[in-house]
Amino acid sequence: MKKRKIILMLDSSRAADRGFIRGIINYANLRGEWDFYRFSPLFQKMPFSGNSTSDEIWQKLINLDADGLIGYLPDDKILLNKIHSQSFPTVAIPVSTLNDGIINLSQDINTGIMAAEYLIGLGFKNFGFCGMKYSWSKIRERSFSQTICSANFNYSIAPDDSVDKDCLIKWLKSLKIPVAIMACNDERAYKLVETCRVCNLKIPSQVAIIGVDNDDMICSLSNPPITSIEMNFEAVGYNAAEIIDKMLIGRKAIDTSELTCRPIRIIKRASTDILEINDEEVANAIHYIRNNVRRSISVSDVQKNSLLSLRALQLRFHKVLNRGISEEIRRERIAEMTRQLVKTDLTIEQIAYRMEFNNIKNISRIFKKETGMTPFEYRKKMCK
């Protein structure tokens, strides 16, 4: 078999792109040795002369003698038409709009929904979004804002020029405090943390922040560390490589449904630590639930570790979180199960046993109700 030569228009300095690359390499290792040509994304820095015409760029791509391309493409209709007309195997990551005639990677709206529901669950009434001009950011903002506004909470979006420090300071000072903000990615969340420091805004008691991508270096470098949504970038990279391979083999029926960036779970860190911002008794109860998330604890167990009566604690829970103790136990345990499904090789039965779930059929039903998938379906989708 001829060795594949693939162009990667990806930036290894970004968590998302590193995830894509890992997935691509995983697939390549299964199929045989592949060669890669990697360039920084075209929307950040052209790999060729900035004055190159579409024809010149296309010719240089051809001169590389590559078999396919995965990554970001410029909004250049002439170049895109050449790629399409020549049937050059390509999986594109849209920058501002979808690339017509080319297979595109897509964004799942559930990323914004997951962030909104999580922040609403922390008891906030005021919300904001800080994004960028790119299509993936706008998709996350749209689903986040719709979820917040449908719950009738206060909402504000940072202006497009909020990349400017003074503009971002002005926007933060205009928000009602306390406020919970979703950033389109961890780099943006880090900038928010730095700007809050300039504005003397405390995190998370005055401003809670959640990012996306779970870039561990950025999230941990921040003070406080940033809560972030982990995405299935590696699985998407694997699927992108598989699609390129199928295109080269000549298969016409290609399923692109798995080329969607989906949220896996929320990695909680100090930037949204509810224990610092809510009712002390409720905070202590949540702390107990999290510390015992792998045990089959009951509402009664939680109440025994509180100074309040069961009724009083339930009322406080509903006032602060708008949900009851049993629902909080279920949410935390399902979240832990999703982590085990993605991060371990344990069977579903082994995970259920270790977490003291007595009835595998019952937990599968509850899991599907919470996530929309069975444990088996969840693992298959997120770990492919």
Side-chain angles (χ1 to χ4, degrees), residues 54-55 76-83:
S54 298
D55 288 335
D76 186 324
K77 290 186 178 180
I78 297 176
L79 176 61
L80 296 174
N81 286 337
K82 285 183 177 293
I83 291 174

Side-chain angles (χ1 to χ4, degrees), residues 42-75:
L42 295 181
F43 70 88
Q44 292 185 350
K45 183 178 72 173
M46 291 290 291
F48 312 109
S49 168
N51 296 320
S52 296
T53 66
S54 298
D55 288 335
E56 290 172 337
I57 294 174
W58 170 252
Q59 190 58 50
K60 289 178 180 179
L61 290 175
I62 294 300
N63 289 342
L64 289 173
D65 191 32
D67 299 298
L69 183 153
I70 302 173
Y72 303 93
L73 293 176
D75 293 328

Side-chain angles (χ1 to χ4, degrees), residues 61-281:
L61 290 175
I62 294 300
N63 289 342
L64 289 173
D65 191 32
D67 299 298
L69 183 153
I70 302 173
Y72 303 93
L73 293 176
D75 293 328
D76 186 324
K77 290 186 178 180
I78 297 176
L79 176 61
L80 296 174
N81 286 337
K82 285 183 177 293
I83 291 174
H84 175 54
S85 63
Q86 296 296 322
S87 299
F88 189 78
T90 300
V91 173
I93 303 173
V95 177
S96 57
T97 59
L98 292 178
N99 302 290
D100 293 336
I102 297 175
I103 294 176
N104 289 267
L105 182 151
S106 62
Q107 291 284 333
D108 192 321
I109 63 171
N110 284 311
T111 306
I113 294 172
M114 179 183 283
E117 291 180 343
Y118 170 70
L119 296 175
I120 290 172
L122 296 181
F124 285 92
K125 308 298 182 185
N126 305 306
F127 300 87
F129 184 91
C130 186
M132 303 173 77
K133 63 181 180 180
Y134 304 121
S135 60
W136 51 266
S137 175
K138 294 184 182 300
I139 291 171
R140 292 171 183 177
E141 188 278 327
R142 193 177 305 119
S143 58
F144 179 80
S145 64
Q146 288 174 349
T147 306
I148 296 299
C149 294
S150 65
N152 295 318
F153 291 122
N154 295 321
Y155 177 75
S156 175
I157 180 171
D160 289 339
D161 56 351
S162 60
V163 66
D164 177 76
K165 181 178 178 181
D166 292 336
C167 182
L168 189 55
I169 289 174
K170 183 178 179 180
W171 178 68
L172 281 171
K173 289 184 174 181
S174 73
L175 301 177
K176 294 183 178 180
I177 303 298
V179 62
I181 301 174
M182 178 185 181
C184 64
N185 63 10
D186 294 330
E187 294 171 0
R188 211 80 175 113
Y190 186 86
K191 186 174 183 65
L192 275 172
V193 171
E194 290 185 319
T195 309
C196 283
R197 189 179 299 119
V198 173
C199 297
N200 294 317
L201 292 170
K202 296 180 180 178
I203 303 172
S205 57
Q206 292 179 303
V207 182
I209 299 171
I210 183 171
V212 183
D213 293 350
N214 193 37
D215 188 322
D216 187 63
M217 183 181 70
I218 293 177
C219 293
S220 300
L221 182 64
S222 172
N223 183 22
I226 299 166
T227 293
S228 186
I229 298 178
E230 182 179 358
M231 304 291 288
N232 67 331
F233 296 132
E234 192 167 326
V236 171
Y238 182 99
N239 292 325
E242 184 177 28
I243 285 175
I244 291 289
D245 201 24
K246 288 180 178 179
M247 293 173 73
L248 290 169
I249 293 171
R251 296 184 187 177
K252 293 184 178 180
I254 295 177
D255 180 14
T256 61
S257 62
E258 295 303 318
L259 279 181
T260 303
C261 290
R262 296 186 175 92
I264 297 176
R265 61 185 178 128
I266 293 175
I267 307 300
K268 301 172 185 176
R269 298 185 179 92
S271 69
T272 60
D273 191 349
I274 192 174
L275 300 183
E276 296 187 30
I277 62 174
N278 278 320
D279 182 293
E280 183 177 355
E281 285 298 320

Side-chain angles (χ1 to χ4, degrees), residues 275-321:
L275 300 183
E276 296 187 30
I277 62 174
N278 278 320
D279 182 293
E280 183 177 355
E281 285 298 320
V282 174
N284 288 338
I286 293 172
H287 190 75
Y288 176 82
I289 293 170
R290 291 179 181 175
N291 284 345
N292 294 276
V293 72
R294 297 187 186 181
R295 293 181 52 227
S296 181
I297 60 174
S298 65
V299 172
S300 177
D301 293 325
V302 178
Q303 186 273 322
K304 288 176 182 177
N305 285 272
S306 171
L307 298 176
L308 301 176
S309 67
L310 178 57
R311 175 171 172 74
L313 186 59
Q314 286 278 28
L315 289 173
R316 297 267 275 269
F317 250 81
H318 278 284
K319 181 179 179 180
V320 173
L321 299 179

